[in-house]
Amino acid sequence: EDTLCETPFEAENDSISGKERQFVFALPEHRIEAVKYLDRIVWNKELRLDSVFGSMNGKGETIDKVIENYDDWRREKEEKEERNRLRQVEILKEMHTILGEMRVATLKEMSSNLLRIEWDSEEVKDYVKRVLMLYFDAQKEREDNGSDVANALDEEEEDTFDIIYVLNLFSDLVALLPDERLRGEVLLEVESVINRNQETGGNSSDKTSQPSALPELNEDELEEKFVKGSGAGGQKVNKTSNRVILVHTPTGLRVECQDTRSLQQNRKIARKRLRLKLDAFINGDTSRAGQKATKAVTKKAKNKA
């Protein structure tokens, strides 16, 4: 009664009483959830999709057009899946930097479990809440271990400590989920969390210890170049101008970024790094990097004592 079965159109009827010899004709219409042509869904009750007769969300496409254009549809589907796979690799690489290997493994397991169950809005809220706990756990671990003073300006400290950045990155990962309904529900919950954090002004219960805002960049004062990448990554990196060189002309401060295969993502990261450097240039010991360096030195002194 409650089991969803997938069967070929010409399958024989061996489970429903009556005279119909084909299962599809013996099955009451209201029990049919979806119809597929090969691996493409052409009719879906829940999504109000009809590419058989072209009604509802079928957008006028009928089954004869589906069959005629199937090879093109299949090719586009495979290209999209490959783009999504590469994007997922990029995002998980950044997640590894922020959360660590064990927490990323936990995130993958949580996501797989959510895809397998009959989820509801409370399950989605709990999922996002547990993702936040992974972030806060990683943040606490970094604070307990201290930071490397020598790398205070060179590493992406801003990314690893900014909860809004992490949530936006997580949204990019959620956007690749195969379940359309689940994808939309999770993105709405993440957006709600982002809005709440922006309204309350931070990601820590100890607001007095939060660093000051980073200086904003004036795009008119920036010189930006895109050059071909180098190192590991194959042709996609070495033959694509995805390496960003960014110079702040008033101060001469310079940063580079080739962290991902995405030019736009590298531009975003480069600007965050430049804001950190500009903060250190202007504010010195009271900058974010300066405060982290001071905190690390203090922690080391306490440990020696």
Side-chain angles (χ1 to χ4, degrees):
E1 286 292 326
D2 297 323
T3 302
L4 185 64
C5 301
E6 184 171 335
T7 183
F9 189 85
E10 67 276 9
E12 291 186 4
N13 173 29
D14 57 5
S15 58
I16 300 176
S17 60
K19 297 180 179 180
E20 293 290 354
R21 304 185 68 177
Q22 279 188 252
F23 181 75
V24 68
F25 296 124
L27 187 68
E29 185 177 334
H30 71 275
R31 300 292 300 276
I32 300 175
E33 295 293 326
V35 178
K36 292 200 306 190
Y37 170 71
L38 298 180
D39 58 339
R40 178 178 178 180
I41 296 176
V42 295
W43 188 89
N44 185 288
K45 180 169 63 177
E46 184 176 1
L47 299 178
R48 294 184 58 78
L49 168 67
D50 178 12
S51 292
V52 177
F53 299 104
S55 64
M56 298 187 292
N57 293 329
K59 298 179 181 178
E61 186 176 28
T62 53
I63 190 63
D64 57 328
K65 292 295 183 183
V66 169
I67 296 171
E68 180 182 342
N69 299 325
Y70 174 78
D71 290 341
D72 292 337
W73 174 87
R74 180 68 184 175
R75 182 172 58 255
E76 290 175 6
K77 179 174 181 286
E78 290 173 350
E79 289 173 354
K80 181 180 179 181
E81 288 173 348
E82 179 62 12
R83 289 195 301 271
N84 288 348
R85 187 191 67 79
L86 293 174
R87 178 60 182 143
Q88 185 180 54
V89 169
E90 289 179 4
I91 296 171
L92 288 175
K93 180 182 177 182
E94 291 193 61
M95 283 292 194
H96 272 278
T97 302
I98 296 168
L99 300 180
E101 183 177 352
M102 294 297 293
R103 294 183 189 89
V104 169
T106 300
L107 175 61
K108 288 180 179 179
E109 183 179 359
M110 287 163 45
S111 302
S112 296
N113 290 340
L114 189 63
L115 284 167
R116 283 196 295 263
I117 66 172
E118 291 292 331
W119 55 270
D120 55 27
S121 59
E122 290 304 314
E123 292 281 355
V124 169
K125 288 181 180 179
D126 182 63
Y127 170 66
V128 175
K129 187 184 298 183
R130 290 169 66 193
V131 172
L132 287 172
M133 293 307 298
L134 291 176
Y135 163 77
F136 287 123
D137 187 46
Q139 185 184 44
K140 183 176 185 301
E141 184 178 273
R142 280 191 298 272
E143 291 173 351
D144 290 343
N145 293 339
S147 59
D148 189 340
V149 181
N151 292 331
L153 289 179
D154 295 330
E155 296 298 323
E156 255 175 77
E157 299 287 349
E158 169 75 359
D159 289 348
T160 57
F161 280 84
D162 184 2
I163 190 172
I164 303 300
Y165 176 84
V166 174
L167 285 170
N168 281 321
L169 188 65
F170 176 60
S171 294
D172 289 346
L173 190 61
V174 170
L176 304 177
L177 286 174
D179 187 321
E180 185 175 346
R181 282 185 58 247
L182 177 59
R183 185 167 66 235
E185 192 79 16
V186 176
L187 286 174
L188 283 175
E189 179 61 22
V190 173
E191 183 180 359
S192 174
V193 174
I194 289 175
N195 291 336
R196 287 199 299 270
N197 272 272
Q198 289 175 332
E199 288 170 4
T200 56
N203 62 339
S204 172
S205 58
D206 184 8
K207 295 292 187 291
T208 59
S209 65
Q210 289 295 298
S212 59
L214 292 174
E216 295 297 329
L217 297 176
N218 184 342
E219 290 292 326
D220 294 336
E221 297 177 342
L222 301 181
E223 290 182 2
E224 188 173 30
K225 295 180 181 179
F226 309 125
V227 298
K228 289 182 180 179
S230 60
Q235 292 185 355
K236 183 66 176 178
V237 167
N238 300 327
K239 292 189 177 182
T240 304
S241 297
N242 63 346
R243 181 182 175 194
V244 178
I245 300 175
L246 198 61
V247 178
H248 184 247
T249 52
T251 61
L253 295 175
R254 180 178 185 274
V255 296
E256 296 185 18
C257 182
Q258 186 194 320
D259 288 20
T260 76
R261 294 182 178 184
S262 166
L263 174 63
Q264 294 306 317
Q265 190 70 8
N266 288 340
R267 295 182 70 199
K268 181 178 179 181
I269 295 170
R271 279 162 173 73
K272 289 194 174 184
R273 287 181 175 170
L274 186 56
R275 290 177 69 195
L276 281 170
K277 280 200 170 185
L278 187 59
D279 180 38
F281 182 87
I282 296 171
N283 299 314
D285 291 342
T286 61
S287 67
R288 289 197 181 189
Q291 289 180 34
K292 287 173 184 176
T294 301
K295 184 176 180 180
V297 170
T298 303
K299 186 174 180 63
K300 287 181 180 179
K302 287 181 179 178
N303 289 339
K304 287 182 179 178

